Amino acid sequence: ARRRQQQLPQGLVMFVGPCDFADGKEMVGIRMDNKQQSGGHDGKEKGERHFRCENGHGCYLLLDDVTVITSAAERAARAAEDAKEPFDLESELHNIVGIEAVKGHILSMRNRLEVGRRRAAFGVQDTRPLNMLLVGNRGMDFKGVAQVLAGMLHSLDVTTSPKVTELSRKDIVGSNTEQTEKMCTSVLRKASGGIVLLTDAPSLCEKSDHYGQMALGQVAHYFEDLESKQTRDTVLLVALPRSGLASVFTTAPGMSTLAPTQLEFMDYSTDEVAQLLEKTVESRGFKLHADLNREKLVDILKPAIARCPEDKAGKVLVDKLVDEAIHRQTDRVHLSNTVSKASLLSLTEEDFVEPDANPGGDSLEMVLGRLDGIIGLGGVKNHVRSLVAQLELAQKKKLAGLPGSKVNACMHMVFSGNPGTGKTTVARIVAELLQALGYLKRGHLVETDRAGLVAPYVGQTAIKTQEVVQSAIGGMLFVDEAYALVKDVKDSFGREALDTLIKLVEDHRDQLVVVLAGYPVEMNELMAHNPGVRSRFPTTILFEDYSVSELMQIARQFLGSQHLNLTDEASAMLEKQLGVMVDAKDVQNGNGRAVRNVVEQAMRAQALRLSDNKASLAPHLLSIIEAADLIA
């Protein structure tokens, strides 16, 4: 190190950053080659230590008063680097899974830089910024691409270092204006000469997030200043989902000009996710068992990919699956007392199967068969089948890595209909369908109502609601007579239950489906008075009352389960009674529950009639319901 006006002994830089003893100014801590005559120390100045060295050899200087000189060690390091094999871009790109369009763009970028260098010899300069936006879902391999770009740019002498500095909110946002400015200045200075990868820019753009917006603006200003000086040795990459583009451009308007190139990262196909998993397992020092080939791996991954939200797919999902597999393998190996290297480091199919994944659940075809076996409800069946078709199509697109494959859309529903119209039965079938499709892990149904969610004492309702919701995770929560949650404007306990439920529905939207059920008029009022309910439960399925013929089918089905038959006269009598019930248009009539009550009453009348007959009866007479039984 040498001061601008005065030659100083040389030394090794040990620390660069703000120091409290210098009122927060950027200081350089240096271990001098020779002991200082005065002012030297062991790296501790005024009670503050940032490095340690032999006493008398340490000192701190202002950053602006220090210049980096080339040392013998540095020259040796550079010579060693020059002796390395040249950077092989094609080979590095080949090691990256998928994203073929991105790879093609990187190759074109290499060609542009090489040709641009030749054109520069004739005075034609390429001034287009090298900064880029990496647009894709969170699970894409942004860092892998950044490392390849860093290696390529360094090999072409565009940047001075192949280093990638990954920045997120915690690296650049402080608790106040001064701290935020210092953090940004410090990390950007340290990243100078390489690539800066900013990974969560949209999180800095909230209207109420003053310091986040300031940090994003400062990063943009730093690179705008470099561009204005035609300094291109540091390159900015901003990785973000497409949904975050508008907020970033609004917060930092110059970003579209600063980073004019957008690389579109298409979602991984199932086969590509399998390749990612193979590479991740290898990087962790493990191996997949010989029986676990690519085809089996794809079959294991399909349900996990199908139920995985877009912001947790790709590498995020793979890392989670590998972590869980290693955890299960560790328990398995511990129980077996194995000591061989092969068994200690081998992952089997068993290690990738979740114990609570309900592998014995019924197939999609079997569950749809049960749906078709329900009497009536033609409109409900069509709606459920359209939902299944929509999810199947989304899964096919997702497995192929195509856009438009979002399967984490809001699945919460409202079942509107009178009692006894099959709402609970259909809810159970829908839960099983979603489990068969891989959308829900367990597919179980938890039934509750106001009594199950609202507590009688202050402070207990939220806890009670949380417990019920937690029990339904991985399946469906069915809230019967949901309109009764909030009885009136003074019902603070009910309001707390509904507000807590809505919040938990949002928090667990990827792990749970909630159905609110109740009478049509009352459910419409609930939706009208609570906009938050309407926005989070966008799908309403109407369960219409059964017709007379459908009620007769329900009656015969129930009688058949009891090995009973109607006489022709009894059948005509029952149909007449059911017609009267349907015409009454009462919420308690014209439904399956009312039919069951009528049939059970007829069975009791039959038993009483037969008990009066002391003579021995023929067996077939014991299974006959007569008209007299219905009249009673």
Side-chain angles (χ1 to χ4, degrees):
R2 80 165 56 96
R3 298 191 68 131
R4 292 177 177 174
Q5 303 298 328
Q6 178 183 5
Q7 182 72 34
L8 286 178
Q10 297 182 10
L12 179 66
V13 174
M14 304 293 290
F15 166 79
V16 179
C19 294
D20 291 340
F21 66 76
D23 297 326
K25 294 178 181 177
E26 293 279 331
M27 303 295 290
V28 180
I30 303 172
R31 187 189 70 195
M32 292 299 181
D33 293 340
N34 300 312
K35 188 173 182 178
Q36 302 300 290
Q37 297 300 321
S38 64
H41 48 68
D42 64 349
K44 184 176 181 180
E45 184 161 329
K46 296 181 180 180
E48 188 173 350
R49 178 183 297 282
H50 293 285
F51 70 96
R52 188 181 296 277
C53 67
E54 187 179 352
N55 193 27
H57 285 255
C59 73
Y60 288 92
L61 298 173
L62 287 169
L63 182 62
D64 292 340
D65 289 342
V66 173
T67 302
V68 176
I69 62 175
T70 304
S71 66
E74 210 173 351
R75 289 195 297 271
R78 185 168 295 178
E81 187 176 325
D82 292 340
K84 292 181 181 178
E85 294 184 7
F87 183 79
D88 187 347
L89 178 60
E90 282 79 2
S91 176
E92 295 294 330
L93 290 176
H94 178 73
N95 290 330
I96 292 181
V97 175
I99 54 173
E100 297 303 325
V102 172
K103 295 178 185 178
H105 186 94
I106 293 174
L107 289 171
S108 297
M109 184 179 180
R110 187 269 315 271
N111 299 342
R112 165 195 158 193
L113 292 170
E114 289 183 344
V115 172
R117 185 179 298 167
R118 300 172 202 164
R119 288 174 178 155
F122 297 97
V124 178
Q125 299 293 331
D126 183 355
T127 59
R128 182 177 172 84
L130 298 176
N131 310 309
M132 289 181 282
L133 301 178
L134 311 184
V135 182
N137 290 317
R138 179 169 165 252
M140 304 307 295
D141 190 9
F142 296 124
K143 189 169 185 179
V145 169
Q147 289 170 335
V148 170
L149 282 169
M152 180 189 76
L153 294 175
H154 180 58
S155 69
L156 295 173
D157 294 325
V158 175
T159 58
T160 58
S161 169
K163 178 177 63 176
V164 174
T165 302
E166 188 172 358
L167 300 183
S168 61
R169 179 186 180 84
K170 63 180 176 59
D171 302 306
I172 56 176
V173 178
S175 58
N176 54 52
T177 299
E178 184 180 5
Q179 188 180 27
T180 298
E181 290 177 348
K182 285 182 179 179
M183 290 175 68
C184 288
T185 301
S186 178
V187 297
L188 291 173
R189 180 172 287 156
K190 291 177 182 178
S192 179
I195 277 186
V196 174
L197 175 62
L198 182 60
T199 55
D200 58 355
S203 72
L204 306 172
C205 301
E206 296 291 336
K207 291 182 179 180
S208 58
D209 187 3
H210 173 69
Y211 300 127
Q213 293 186 20
M214 177 189 296
L216 182 60
Q218 192 165 341
V219 170
H221 177 73
Y222 177 85
F223 282 95
E224 286 170 349
D225 188 50
L226 292 182
E227 287 296 326
S228 67
K229 298 175 182 177
Q230 290 295 302
T231 303
R232 309 174 77 184
D233 65 343
T234 308
V235 176
L236 174 65
L237 304 178
V238 182
L240 73 172
R242 175 158 292 281
S243 59
L245 283 173
S247 61
V248 169
F249 288 156
T250 300
T251 304
M255 190 66 75
S256 58
T257 304
L258 177 65
T261 302
Q262 292 185 22
L263 298 188
E264 297 283 346
F265 284 65
M266 298 293 290
D267 287 346
Y268 296 113
S269 66
T270 308
D271 190 72
E272 289 169 347
V273 174
Q275 293 180 53
L276 283 173
L277 190 144
E278 291 168 349
K279 288 180 176 293
T280 302
V281 168
E282 184 179 356
S283 70
R284 302 279 187 91
F286 288 80
K287 290 185 178 181
L288 295 175
H289 191 275
D291 292 339
L292 194 52
N293 54 33
R294 178 72 61 78
E295 185 177 352
K296 283 188 177 180
L297 204 55
V298 167
D299 289 339
I300 292 172
L301 288 170
K302 280 182 178 179
I305 294 172
R307 65 172 176 261
C308 181
E310 289 183 346
D311 63 343
K312 297 178 183 177
K315 285 185 66 64
V316 177
L317 173 64
V318 166
D319 288 341
K320 175 178 176 290
L321 293 176
V322 172
D323 286 341
E324 292 174 348
I326 292 175
H327 177 77
R328 296 188 194 102
Q329 190 257 15
T330 301
D331 291 341
R332 176 172 58 80
V333 167
H334 181 267
L335 290 173
S336 65
N337 292 319
T338 185
V339 294
S340 67
K341 178 180 179 181
S343 56
L344 284 171
L345 301 179
S346 177
L347 298 177
T348 66
E349 182 176 355
E350 175 188 356
D351 299 325
F352 286 95
V353 176
E354 297 181 65
D356 62 343
N358 191 19
D362 292 339
S363 67
L364 182 63
E365 291 72 19
M366 291 177 65
V367 182
L368 286 173
R370 285 201 289 275
L371 177 68
D372 292 336
I374 296 176
I375 294 171
L377 304 179
V380 174
K381 293 177 182 177
N382 289 337
H383 192 108
V384 172
R385 282 194 170 274
S386 68
L387 174 64
V388 170
Q390 179 186 0
L391 290 174
E392 285 185 313
L393 179 60
Q395 285 186 4
K396 290 176 182 178
K397 288 184 176 181
K398 189 169 187 177
L399 295 175
L402 297 175
S405 59
K406 190 172 183 179
V407 297
N408 59 328
C410 187
M411 298 289 296
H412 309 302
M413 294 172 268
V414 173
F415 283 6
S416 177
N418 289 324
T421 49
K423 296 188 292 295
T424 306
T425 301
V426 172
R428 185 171 286 107
I429 289 176
V430 171
E432 293 172 353
L433 286 172
L434 294 177
Q435 191 275 333
L437 288 166
Y439 188 88
L440 294 175
K441 281 188 177 182
R442 298 175 59 192
H444 65 298
L445 182 73
V446 174
E447 298 180 55
T448 191
D449 54 15
R450 177 186 169 90
L453 299 174
V454 178
Y457 304 109
V458 175
Q460 293 185 344
T461 293
I463 297 173
K464 192 173 184 179
T465 302
Q466 288 172 359
E467 290 175 348
V468 173
V469 170
Q470 195 63 39
S471 70
I473 295 297
M476 176 179 286
L477 177 64
F478 183 85
V479 184
D480 200 11
E481 297 183 352
Y483 53 83
L485 282 178
V486 183
K487 294 180 177 179
D488 52 51
V489 293
K490 297 181 181 179
D491 185 6
S492 59
F493 289 175
R495 169 59 59 186
E496 182 183 7
L498 183 60
D499 292 344
T500 303
L501 179 62
I502 289 176
K503 181 183 182 301
L504 292 173
V505 161
E506 188 66 22
D507 292 345
H508 299 287
R509 62 185 181 275
D510 304 323
Q511 305 167 290
L512 173 73
V513 172
V514 179
V515 172
L516 303 182
Y519 299 163
V521 175
E522 286 82 351
M523 290 304 295
N524 288 337
E525 290 179 357
L526 176 70
M527 303 287 278
H529 296 157
N530 298 274
V533 176
R534 183 178 296 279
S535 62
R536 288 169 178 81
F537 293 80
T539 302
T540 298
I541 300 180
L542 178 62
F543 286 69
E544 296 181 350
D545 289 342
Y546 293 106
S547 65
V548 174
S549 62
E550 290 169 345
L551 291 175
M552 283 297 295
Q553 291 181 58
I554 293 172
R556 293 185 185 281
Q557 187 179 70
F558 181 67
L559 287 167
S561 68
Q562 303 298 316
H563 304 286
L564 295 171
N565 295 297
L566 295 169
T567 64
D568 291 343
E569 186 179 358
S571 179
M573 179 65 69
L574 177 59
E575 187 170 358
K576 182 178 179 181
Q577 290 182 1
L578 295 177
V580 172
M581 290 169 54
V582 169
D583 292 340
K585 301 295 182 183
D586 188 281
V587 295
Q588 299 298 333
N589 293 317
N591 55 51
R593 196 172 302 162
V595 172
R596 187 185 184 98
N597 292 338
V598 170
V599 172
E600 287 180 344
Q601 184 178 0
M603 291 168 59
R604 288 192 294 271
Q606 181 220 32
L608 183 61
R609 171 174 56 81
L610 294 178
S611 67
D612 291 338
N613 192 335
K614 305 300 182 183
S616 178
L617 297 172
H620 74 279
L621 295 177
L622 300 175
S623 60
I624 296 296
I625 297 290
E626 297 181 353
D629 301 325
L630 289 164
I631 294 174

